[in-house]
């Protein structure tokens, strides 16, 4: 719902802030006062292109901003659209703003974030139905007709059943198509997969072995140097000569000296213990080095084996993955694919039978959908024609046209050729009207603009009020070509729409304006040689005077008629 509309420097509007609520809001005023400019400004929030010509004379930029509260299905749809653009924010309010500059650098923003115009169009159509000189009404978009019919028919449960079966069929078809395509080059593919699987599995790879092999290769390649270094270390630690006692012997003297020291001075016991620990560690170190040197040997044959194994691993990694783990995973995937090819013929037969079964079931579910939709279409037509009769279009007729298209890969119904189908069913839906007897039914989008179209849309909106979840409806010139009696009927229908939607209506008919829950007067002012538009909220006597003036010159007669209009509206709405 549009709760605030802010306009700056747009045409003759200087600075306007309008707070709007639910129900029916009426805007009245003399021709040229700026009512249609308000309409044009709102159009920009729906993504209608505009340029510097909309900027008020003498100003550098114009701004139009709308604040919306999000509720129900429109909220879910809009949040989904925003999520696709990473624009999801907490809360149930949305601000759309358009800025136009004389230098041509215009901007579009949602909640302060710059977005493209296409996103504004998608979101705008979910928020507002705008009916006037430009056609932004959801009912005029053929792709929305099936959705509206389904909501009117309350068809969600059988539609979900159909769509579940449709998804299952598409999954089967996808797998079947892939298998049939693979079957054409299955022999060549199978040979390649067998080679890859055998090459990897015959290598008997183990994760971590490459690192172990590289360490072993390093030891084998440096065996002579390692032996020399270890012998040098051992000789220093444990081999004594008359000229140079071993380190272990020398440190033994240190241990003896400190033990004697602690006997004299017990405070040195800790140092004596430390020396003993170091002596033990030197003995352990010597032992470990002797064990290590026993393991070292220069083995040219083993070195060659290790080199070959490392080369094999690197070759497999080059072909199949960056690590042994990836190479083994590649082999597993290849084996799975090989198994699928090996059993492809059997699987294709199974899936072909499954596809046929699913097609039969889907056709049955589709026929059930069609039956419900056709019955609902008759009820919808009757309801809309009754609405049009109230609006003095007694001869107008309405129908829902169902069409199918042949498709050799489609659904086989009870008779005839197979027909195309999608996730909604096998029939396309379009609303058709005949406004004058003998002209024949024409698509709703072909109906001429003007008061006739406005009344037709109003009738459609009333019947489809519960099905159409666009929260805000705006009508301009809906009273074109109708008189006061029909105007009162139009007012009643707009008031009814206001019980489930936010409705804004620009009108020149007092009989219609009387049904507004809120009433604004749009007027043009000239101050200091500049023209501007202002909008004033009317209540009480001010509203009575406005209605009287809409009926003619303000007089006792027009005031009485205006009062009678308001009394009639009060009686009608209270009785309901």
């Amino acid at each position: 719902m549009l709760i605030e509309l802010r306009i700056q420097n747009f045409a003759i509007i200087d600075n306007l802030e309008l707070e709007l609520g639910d129900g029916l809001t009426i805007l009245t005023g003399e021709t040229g006062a700026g009512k249609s400019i308000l309409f044009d400004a709102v159009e920009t929030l729906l993504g209608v292109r505009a340029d510097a010509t909309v900027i008020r004379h003498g100003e550098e930029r114009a701004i139009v901003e709308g604040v919306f509260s999000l509720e129900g299905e429109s909220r879910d749809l809009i949040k989904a659209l925003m999520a696709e653009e990473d624009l999801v924010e907490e809360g149930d309010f949305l601000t759309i703003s358009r800025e136009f500059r004389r230098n041509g650098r215009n901007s579009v923003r949602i909640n302060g974030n710059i977005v493209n115009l296409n996103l504004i169009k998608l979101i705008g159509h979910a928020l507002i139905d705008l009916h006037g000189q430009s056609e932004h009404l959801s009912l005029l978009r053929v792709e929305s007709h099936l959705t509206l019919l389904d909501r009117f028919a309350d068809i969600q449960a059988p539609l979900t059943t159909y769509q579940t079966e449709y998804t299952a069929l598409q999954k089967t078809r996808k797998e079947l198509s892939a298998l049939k395509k693979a079957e054409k080059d299955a022999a060549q593919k199978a040979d390649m997969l067998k080679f890859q699987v055998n090459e990897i599995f015959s290598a008997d790879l183990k994760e971590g072995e490459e690192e172990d092999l590289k360490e072993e290769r390093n030891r084998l390649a440096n065996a002579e140097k390692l032996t020399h270094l270890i012998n040098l270390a051992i000789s220093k630690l444990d081999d004594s000569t008359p000229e140079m006692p071993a380190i272990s012997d020398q440190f033994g003297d240190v241990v003896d000296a400190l033990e004697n020291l602690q006997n004299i001075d017990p405070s040195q016991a800790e140092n004596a213990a430390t020396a003993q620990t170091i002596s033990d560690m030197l003995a352990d170190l010597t032992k470990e080095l002797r064990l290590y040197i026993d393991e070292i040997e220069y083995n040219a044959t083993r070195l060659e084996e290790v080199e070959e194994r490392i080369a094999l691993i690197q070759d497999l990694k080059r072909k199949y993955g960056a690590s042994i783990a990836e190479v083994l995973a590649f082999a597993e995937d290849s084996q799975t694919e090989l198994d699928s090819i090996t059993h492809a013929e059997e699987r294709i037969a199974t899936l072909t039978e499954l596809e046929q079964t699913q097609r039969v079931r889907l056709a049955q579910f589709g026929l059930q959908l069609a039956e419900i939709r056709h019955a609902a279409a008759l009820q919808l037509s009757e309801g809309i024609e009754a609405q049009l009769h109230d609006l003095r279009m007694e001869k107008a007729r309405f129908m829902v046209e169902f069409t199918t298209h042949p498709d050799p890969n489609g659904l086989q119904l009870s008779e005839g050729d197979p027909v195309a189908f999608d996730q909604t069913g096998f029939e396309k839906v379009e609303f058709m009207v005949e406004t004058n007897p003998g002209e024949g039914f024409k698509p709703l989008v072909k109906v001429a603009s003007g008061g006739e179209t406005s009344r037709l849309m109003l009738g459609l909106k009333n019947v489809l009020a519960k099905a159409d979840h666009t929260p805000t409806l705006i009508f301009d010139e809906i009273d074109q070509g109708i008189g006061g009696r029909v105007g009162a009927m139009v007012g009643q229908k707009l008031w009814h729409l206001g019980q489930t939607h936010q409705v804004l209506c620009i009108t020149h008919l007092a009989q219609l304006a009387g049904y507004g829950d809120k009433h604004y007067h749009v007027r043009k002012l000239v101050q200091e040689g500049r023209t501007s538009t202002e909008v004033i909220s009317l209540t009480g006597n001010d509203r009575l005077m406005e209605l009287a003036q809409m009926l003619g010159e303000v007089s006792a007669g027009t005031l009485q008629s205006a009062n009678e209009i308001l009394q009639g509206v009060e009686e009608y709405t209270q009785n309901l």
Side-chain angles (χ1 to χ4, degrees):
M1 182 174 72
L2 180 62
I3 57 176
E4 290 183 32
L5 179 63
R6 308 185 189 108
I7 305 173
Q8 292 181 5
N9 302 324
F10 190 93
I12 61 172
I13 297 178
D14 178 16
N15 191 359
L16 174 66
E17 293 188 9
L18 196 59
E19 293 186 2
L20 301 166
D22 52 10
L24 173 60
T25 297
I26 296 294
L27 293 99
T28 60
E30 295 181 0
T31 300
K35 301 186 300 298
S36 293
I37 296 175
L38 287 172
F39 192 91
D40 294 340
V42 174
E43 272 192 320
T44 67
L45 298 180
L46 301 185
V48 173
R49 293 190 178 277
D51 54 31
T53 59
V54 303
I55 301 174
R56 181 174 168 83
H57 178 70
E59 303 294 339
E60 290 301 315
R61 66 176 184 173
I63 298 175
V64 179
E65 186 172 84
V67 180
F68 299 84
S69 63
L70 306 179
E71 300 175 356
E73 289 193 16
S74 61
R75 173 185 57 198
D76 298 337
L77 173 59
I78 289 166
K79 289 204 170 187
L81 290 171
M82 293 179 66
E84 292 179 4
E85 302 293 329
D86 296 326
L87 294 175
V88 175
E89 295 187 15
E90 296 297 328
D92 292 328
F93 293 92
L94 181 79
T95 300
I96 299 177
S97 62
R98 299 282 305 273
E99 182 176 336
F100 308 94
R101 293 179 177 268
R102 289 212 179 272
N103 61 13
R105 297 181 62 183
N106 303 333
S107 64
V108 184
R109 297 176 187 269
I110 294 180
N111 290 347
N113 300 294
I114 294 179
V115 299
N116 60 60
L117 200 59
N118 287 333
L119 181 61
I120 288 290
K121 290 179 180 179
L122 291 173
I123 290 179
H125 284 311
L127 289 170
I128 300 177
D129 266 350
L130 192 62
H131 185 58
Q133 297 301 316
S134 298
E135 296 179 343
H136 282 283
L137 197 65
S138 64
L139 291 171
L140 294 178
R141 296 194 295 273
V142 176
E143 62 271 17
S144 71
H145 292 180
L146 180 60
T147 300
L148 291 171
L149 176 62
D150 282 354
R151 287 176 177 167
F152 178 80
D154 192 18
I155 204 171
Q156 189 56 51
L159 180 58
T160 299
T161 300
Y162 173 90
Q163 290 176 337
T164 300
E165 190 67 34
Y166 174 83
T167 301
L169 175 59
Q170 295 305 105
K171 182 179 179 181
T172 300
R173 283 185 159 185
K174 183 178 180 180
E175 183 180 355
L176 190 56
S177 175
L179 284 174
K180 288 181 177 180
K181 182 179 179 181
E183 191 179 32
K184 295 180 180 179
D185 56 350
Q188 181 179 355
K189 182 72 170 177
D191 287 342
M192 182 185 69
L193 290 171
K194 286 177 183 178
F195 172 80
Q196 292 172 337
V197 170
N198 290 334
E199 184 179 30
I200 296 172
F201 284 158
S202 63
D204 194 22
L205 299 176
K206 295 179 176 57
E207 291 191 40
E209 73 166 306
E210 186 177 14
E211 291 73 18
D212 294 339
L213 287 168
K214 288 180 178 179
E215 290 179 7
E216 184 179 0
R217 180 181 63 179
N218 187 49
R219 289 195 301 271
L220 289 168
N222 295 279
E224 185 177 349
K225 186 175 182 179
L226 291 173
T227 301
H228 169 72
L229 292 172
I230 294 171
N231 281 328
L232 177 62
I234 291 175
S235 67
K236 295 290 185 183
L237 286 169
D238 208 36
D239 293 340
S240 298
T241 66
E243 294 81 13
M244 179 61 69
I247 291 175
S248 57
D249 291 338
Q250 294 183 55
F251 203 79
D253 294 339
V254 174
V255 172
D256 291 340
L258 290 179
E259 285 181 352
N260 292 328
L261 179 62
Q262 75 166 340
N263 291 333
I264 300 170
D265 183 359
S267 67
Q268 295 301 306
E270 185 175 347
N271 287 334
T274 300
Q276 184 61 55
T277 301
I278 294 173
S279 179
D280 294 340
M281 290 175 65
L282 287 173
D284 290 341
L285 174 60
T286 302
K287 181 180 178 181
E288 290 296 327
L289 290 175
R290 290 188 185 280
L291 291 173
Y292 177 68
I293 199 170
D294 290 340
E295 296 176 359
I296 296 175
E297 62 174 335
Y298 177 70
N299 187 331
T301 301
R302 177 56 185 165
L303 178 59
E304 184 177 354
E305 291 174 355
V306 171
E307 292 282 9
E308 289 177 355
R309 182 66 175 173
I310 291 174
L312 173 63
I313 292 173
Q314 291 177 343
D315 183 55
L316 293 175
K317 286 167 57 179
R318 179 180 56 81
K319 293 179 182 178
Y320 306 120
S323 66
I324 289 179
E326 290 186 16
V327 172
L328 292 173
F330 182 90
E332 293 291 343
D333 292 341
S334 296
Q335 184 64 60
T336 300
E337 188 176 357
L338 180 60
D339 292 341
S340 69
I341 292 176
T342 304
H343 303 292
E345 186 174 340
E346 178 183 338
R347 182 61 177 163
I348 287 174
T350 301
L351 289 175
T352 301
E353 183 178 351
L354 176 61
E355 181 196 20
Q356 186 57 35
T357 301
Q358 290 173 331
R359 283 159 59 95
V360 171
R361 285 204 303 263
L362 192 63
Q364 293 173 346
F365 295 145
L367 288 169
Q368 292 174 8
L369 283 179
E371 183 179 356
I372 297 172
R373 285 168 174 161
H374 282 252
L378 292 176
Q379 296 177 6
L380 179 64
S381 299
E382 292 174 359
I384 289 175
E385 287 177 2
Q387 292 281 329
L388 297 179
H389 185 274
D390 291 340
L391 294 169
R392 297 299 184 267
M393 293 177 66
E394 295 90 346
K395 304 298 184 181
R397 293 193 298 159
F398 178 93
M399 68 171 286
V400 179
E401 182 180 69
F402 295 89
T403 57
T404 60
H405 299 282
D407 183 349
N409 296 316
L411 296 180
Q412 182 63 58
L413 306 180
S414 56
E415 57 184 24
D417 297 328
V419 296
F421 65 100
D422 57 21
Q423 68 273 18
T424 64
F426 56 80
E427 291 181 313
K428 298 299 180 184
V429 166
E430 184 171 6
F431 294 164
M432 310 286 286
V433 293
E434 182 188 59
T435 55
N436 296 300
E439 291 187 354
F441 284 97
K442 298 178 181 178
L444 187 61
V445 296
K446 302 285 187 182
V447 175
S449 61
E452 193 173 56
T453 306
S454 297
R455 280 180 282 169
L456 178 60
M457 294 305 130
L458 180 58
L460 285 166
K461 281 293 184 184
N462 269 280
V463 175
L464 293 169
K466 293 182 180 179
D468 186 1
H469 291 270
T470 308
T472 299
L473 314 176
I474 301 179
F475 293 91
D476 185 21
E477 298 186 359
I478 197 170
D479 53 9
Q480 180 182 350
I482 62 176
R485 184 179 178 185
V486 178
M489 181 64 69
V490 171
Q492 291 175 9
K493 295 190 178 299
L494 287 172
W495 183 86
H496 279 287
L497 272 180
Q499 306 310 298
T500 53
H501 296 70
Q502 179 190 42
V503 182
L504 281 71
C505 179
I506 298 171
T507 182
H508 295 281
L509 279 179
Q511 291 86 348
L512 190 162
Y515 281 88
D517 298 300
K518 292 182 180 179
H519 191 152
Y520 289 99
H521 175 65
V522 183
R523 67 177 182 177
K524 185 163 56 177
L525 301 176
V526 178
Q527 295 177 326
E528 298 179 359
R530 294 297 306 274
T531 303
S532 63
T533 293
E534 71 172 358
V535 180
I536 304 170
S537 177
L538 299 179
T539 59
N541 190 61
D542 290 337
R543 186 184 187 196
L544 183 66
M545 293 293 291
E546 173 70 5
L547 293 178
Q549 192 167 17
M550 293 173 72
L551 293 168
E553 293 292 332
V554 177
S555 64
T558 55
L559 285 170
Q560 181 179 350
S561 297
N563 192 51
E564 288 174 355
I565 288 173
L566 292 176
Q567 288 179 354
V569 169
E570 184 176 2
E571 290 176 5
Y572 178 81
T573 55
Q574 286 184 349
N575 288 336
L576 292 176

